[in-house]
Amino acid sequence: MNALLVVDIQNDFCPGGALAVPEGDEIVPVVNKLIAHFDVIIQTQDWHPSGHHSFASSHSGKQPYDTIELKYGTQVLWPNHCVQGTKGAEFHPNLNSDKSQVIIRKGFRKEIDSYSTFFENDQETTTGLTGYLKQRGITNLYTVGLATDFCVKWSILDGIDEGFTMHIVKDAVRGIDLNGSLDSAWNEIESKGATIITSEDITG
Ligand code: VGL
Ligand code: ZN
């Protein structure tokens, strides 16, 4: 069974937001069109407590986009974003969430960031998504959303490791691009075995 995985289309990742992805809002009409072609829609929502350890402001002397060593490895430090209950954490107002059957929130543990919608950045703590998908008989995931080089990429790599067939809809994602991270993300996505398609392959 197929499902559409809609990753982090939230105000803070769109122009004007705290961690704006260039053209992040341009995917919204494309995603809305895709939603009509799926029976199962799964959304994710970056959902941090204030003072989250992925925020530069939580570490004295650090600036956004610096890196730091945390218990589980190197972590990029971000501007404060997607703080629980704020406008920035809400979904883009034009995104149609009516059909979404489950919303996976992630990054809510203060000490661990979570890019992937399957595992947090320690690569151990699960979000429960694998169990949800397997119990519903979902085998194929079509991935859209923000950002290509972080949450979308890690979701695809982990999804393949978890045994799912992963697709990425290339006109329905946008990237941050930190020091070449966008090019390398596309290479990793492709070499891991995800299928790269366009929205027209689905909508016709
Ligand atoms: C994301 C950086 C920090 C994403 C989330 O959704 O790609 N990126 N938190
Ligand atoms: Zn985040």
Side-chain angles (χ1 to χ4, degrees), residues 92-108:
H92 186 284
N94 298 339
L95 179 69
N96 183 353
S97 298
D98 294 352
K99 270 176 82 176
S100 296
Q101 297 170 349
V102 70
I103 296 171
I104 296 281
R105 287 177 167 168
K106 59 186 181 59
F108 53 76

Side-chain angles (χ1 to χ4, degrees), residues 25-45:
D25 55 338
E26 290 184 11
I27 65 172
V28 172
V30 183
V31 172
N32 284 341
K33 225 170 140 187
L34 286 166
I35 285 170
H37 292 260
F38 286 85
D39 293 326
V40 181
I41 317 285
I42 293 150
Q43 267 188 262
T44 74
Q45 191 171 27

Side-chain angles (χ1 to χ4, degrees), residues 52-53 55-64 66-68 77:
H52 192 259
H53 289 195
F55 296 169
S57 63
S58 304
H59 306 273
S60 67
K62 292 290 185 184
Q63 297 300 317
D66 287 349
T67 55
I68 193 174
L77 294 175

Side-chain angles (χ1 to χ4, degrees), residues 4-201:
L4 184 68
L5 178 63
V6 181
V7 177
D8 295 0
I9 306 186
Q10 293 166 258
N11 290 325
D12 271 343
F13 296 126
C14 291
L19 177 40
V21 179
E23 306 176 345
D25 55 338
E26 290 184 11
I27 65 172
V28 172
V30 183
V31 172
N32 284 341
K33 225 170 140 187
L34 286 166
I35 285 170
H37 292 260
F38 286 85
D39 293 326
V40 181
I41 317 285
I42 293 150
Q43 267 188 262
T44 74
Q45 191 171 27
D46 212 38
W47 195 248
H48 300 306
S50 59
H52 192 259
H53 289 195
S54 76
F55 296 169
S57 63
S58 304
H59 306 273
S60 67
K62 292 290 185 184
Q63 297 300 317
Y65 311 107
D66 287 349
T67 55
I68 193 174
E69 292 306 315
L70 293 180
K71 264 180 264 159
Y72 53 78
T74 305
Q75 169 72 47
V76 179
L77 294 175
W78 304 105
N80 298 0
H81 66 278
C82 297
V83 174
Q84 296 170 2
T86 64
K87 257 257 117 23
E90 290 174 13
F91 295 120
H92 186 284
N94 298 339
L95 179 69
N96 183 353
S97 298
D98 294 352
K99 270 176 82 176
S100 296
Q101 297 170 349
V102 70
I103 296 171
I104 296 281
R105 287 177 167 168
K106 59 186 181 59
F108 53 76
R109 293 178 180 84
K110 211 173 200 167
E111 298 79 21
I112 318 178
D113 204 4
S114 186
Y115 296 148
S116 160
T117 72
F118 292 93
F119 291 98
E120 303 203 353
N121 289 10
D122 62 0
Q123 288 286 299
E124 257 171 41
T125 306
T126 83
T127 62
L129 183 58
T130 297
Y132 179 86
L133 295 172
K134 293 214 161 146
Q135 288 203 315
R136 292 203 52 192
I138 293 158
T139 49
N140 270 274
L141 284 178
Y142 290 80
T143 315
V144 298
L146 306 170
T148 315
D149 36 353
F150 290 92
C151 292
V152 170
K153 176 187 94 173
W154 283 107
S155 297
I156 289 171
L157 301 185
D158 282 352
I160 290 172
D161 283 339
E162 291 290 88
F164 298 100
T165 302
M166 300 299 293
H167 311 263
I168 180 169
V169 186
K170 69 178 175 196
D171 53 323
V173 295
R174 291 290 189 279
I176 295 172
D177 203 12
L178 266 188
N179 308 313
S181 59
L182 191 52
D183 275 349
S184 82
W186 281 113
N187 288 332
E188 288 172 76
I189 287 166
E190 194 166 22
S191 55
K192 187 84 179 180
T195 312
I196 301 172
I197 63 166
T198 68
S199 60
E200 285 182 354
D201 293 332

